[in-house]
Amino acid sequence: MKTLKFENGDQMDAIGLGTWKSEKGEVAKAVKVALNNGYKHIDCAATYGNEAEVGEAFAEVFGKGDIRREDVWVTSKLWNNAHKKEDVIPALKQTLKDLQLDYLDLYLIHWPVAFKPEVSFPEKADDFLSLEEVPLIETWKEMVKAKEQGLVKHIGVSNFSIEKLEELMKDTDHAPEMNQVELHPYLQQDKLLEFCSKNGINVTAYSPLGSGDRSDEMKADNEPSLLENPVINKIAKKHGASAGQILIKWSEQRGTAVIPKSTNEGRIKENLQSAGFQLDEEDLKQIADLDDHFRYVTGKFFEMEGNSYENIYND
Ligand SMILES: NC(=O)c1ccc[n+]([C@@H]2O[C@H](COP(=O)([O-])OP(=O)(O)OC[C@H]3O[C@@H](n4cnc5c(N)ncnc54)[C@H](OP(=O)(O)O)[C@@H]3O)[C@@H](O)[C@H]2O)c1
């Protein structure tokens, strides 16, 4: 499997396990199945509401001693209600406590959006703080401190457009080391990838399979299916692989990390096996033609009349 390299020499396995929507009662088993079957990269976040159970899985697996903590890459994310400078490190410490870890490998600002501290998920415009009230650079400086304190090895962002990255980078010597964004054949984001590559920022692809288990409220009418796309399925047949494996391989082969979510033992194993074959020029050309700038996770749930957030992705 490919790895993504960081400036200090650290390496992250390109294929990791996503944990958004992995229910309590299922997520610990999923993490254990993943780690016991070769995954070395787990993607978490405070807002997924399941870090304590993921932590139980880590404690059990690392406690047995067959797999060492230092051989697994753990990412988590700062939720939008902890952007104020006094809230960043306490939120990180809560995540560490829940995950039963001394440090994270990577900590990301989850969204370039801030809520009031008491708000878990906003329902009205007044639940937000504007980026004038809590500038991203203020949050970022605390992320830098967390790294200096050894609480995290690497720091980055998520859901940042080129404009947001540029804005942040002009005010700091510590550029983000990662941008985690939605990426798949319907949303290929070539310009963002090029910008990140030029600036030494690694990229992780989220919702690589089309995030089919989101709630109905989060879905648009008539969303296109990636897993049922005829081109993807034709390529899958050619390689004797599944559609999911083609989508995961496409991301890995492009040089990004990719974090498919599954709580199903067979699919968890199948997804890691995507590393075992290569897409050829013809496959890549056909997949390149599928781009139609379609987002599954639109960020529209953060845009409310009367708040200061609009067009979060600048596209
Ligand atoms: N930074 C962010 O803002 C952000 C946003 C979204 C996602 N993420 C991260 O990215 C991860 C992945 O994205 P996602 O959860 O949105 O969706 P996804 O990985 O694109 O899709 C997950 C869905 O695909 C199914 N699935 C998994 N493997 C499959 C396979 N081989 N064949 C067919 N179906 C398969 C899963 O069902 P089963 O579980 O039943 O297998 C689930 O319904 C998240 O879990 C999270 O860690 C981050």
Side-chain angles (χ1 to χ4, degrees):
M1 170 181 337
K2 283 194 178 179
T3 57
L4 274 66
K5 298 184 180 48
F6 289 76
E7 217 174 71
N8 70 344
D10 284 354
Q11 295 191 31
M12 173 176 106
D13 265 17
I15 302 177
L17 179 76
T19 60
W20 179 34
K21 308 173 267 62
S22 299
E23 301 291 339
K24 289 182 188 165
E26 290 186 351
V27 69
K29 182 169 165 263
V31 170
K32 283 188 272 185
V33 165
L35 293 175
N36 288 324
N37 285 281
Y39 279 77
K40 293 190 169 124
H41 171 182
I42 310 289
D43 183 77
C44 312
T47 191
Y48 301 163
N50 56 13
E51 286 195 326
E53 196 174 330
V54 173
E56 285 168 22
F58 286 155
E60 188 181 321
V61 172
F62 299 143
K64 277 194 188 141
D66 301 340
I67 297 168
R68 301 181 311 166
R69 161 68 186 102
E70 55 270 36
D71 293 334
V72 177
W73 184 281
V74 181
T75 299
S76 185
K77 313 183 193 91
L78 177 77
W79 189 229
N80 305 346
N81 63 358
H83 275 212
K84 285 175 137 189
K85 60 172 177 285
E86 62 273 25
D87 294 334
V88 175
I89 289 184
L92 167 58
K93 285 188 172 164
Q94 182 62 49
T95 273
L96 287 171
K97 190 171 168 218
D98 286 343
L99 293 174
Q100 303 193 39
L101 300 178
D102 300 330
Y103 69 91
L104 292 177
D105 296 277
L106 177 63
Y107 198 45
L108 307 176
I109 297 181
H110 206 146
W111 286 86
V113 172
F115 308 157
K116 290 184 171 166
E118 65 278 13
V119 174
S120 299
F121 211 88
E123 287 171 359
K124 52 187 186 309
D126 189 49
D127 289 339
F128 292 81
L129 294 167
S130 70
L131 294 183
E132 283 72 42
E133 289 169 291
V134 192
L136 289 167
I137 189 63
E138 181 180 315
T139 310
W140 183 250
K141 283 180 181 165
E142 293 301 308
M143 301 284 285
V144 173
K145 274 190 207 159
K147 184 175 170 182
E148 286 165 356
Q149 290 175 16
L151 296 169
V152 301
K153 298 210 169 201
H154 302 277
I155 50 177
V157 295
S158 175
N159 296 300
F160 272 47
S161 61
I162 293 175
E163 288 80 357
K164 285 272 171 5
L165 288 168
E166 281 177 330
E167 215 178 294
L168 187 67
M169 283 158 57
K170 75 177 169 33
D171 291 331
T172 176
D173 294 334
H174 295 83
E177 297 170 85
M178 174 65 73
N179 191 16
Q180 183 180 120
V181 294
E182 181 174 333
L183 268 188
H184 45 67
Y186 295 153
L187 184 72
Q188 303 193 10
Q189 307 231 50
D190 290 341
K191 277 196 192 135
L192 180 65
L193 243 60
E194 196 187 320
F195 176 88
C196 288
S197 162
K198 270 194 196 143
N199 287 281
I201 303 170
N202 279 311
V203 174
T204 297
Y206 79 59
S207 303
L209 309 176
S211 197
D213 55 350
R214 278 165 305 131
S215 62
D216 286 344
E217 303 91 77
M218 288 193 75
K219 289 186 180 171
D221 295 338
N222 303 318
E223 280 189 349
S225 164
L226 274 168
L227 287 164
E228 287 168 19
N229 179 282
V231 173
I232 299 295
N233 279 278
K234 201 176 84 197
I235 297 171
K237 202 165 169 201
K238 174 174 138 187
H239 290 281
S242 71
Q245 287 178 319
I246 299 301
L247 294 165
I248 295 164
K249 185 69 206 177
W250 176 80
S251 277
E252 188 224 19
Q253 220 168 300
R254 261 178 129 203
T256 69
V258 53
I259 45 173
K261 171 266 171 185
S262 182
T263 47
N264 173 280
E265 181 162 352
R267 288 191 285 276
I268 292 171
K269 292 179 186 168
E270 173 188 323
N271 292 346
L272 191 68
Q273 284 157 8
S274 311
F277 61 93
Q278 286 291 313
L279 298 172
D280 62 32
E281 286 298 313
E282 183 53 28
D283 303 331
L284 294 174
K285 195 172 154 301
Q286 288 181 24
I287 297 176
D289 289 342
L290 297 179
D291 194 5
D292 66 359
H293 309 287
F294 180 81
R295 279 184 197 280
Y296 291 101
V297 181
T298 63
K300 291 286 171 213
F301 34 80
F302 296 141
E303 297 176 11
M304 284 181 200
E305 211 179 316
N307 83 3
S308 58
Y309 295 96
E310 57 179 305
N311 197 11
I312 285 167
Y313 295 113
N314 299 103
D315 64 8

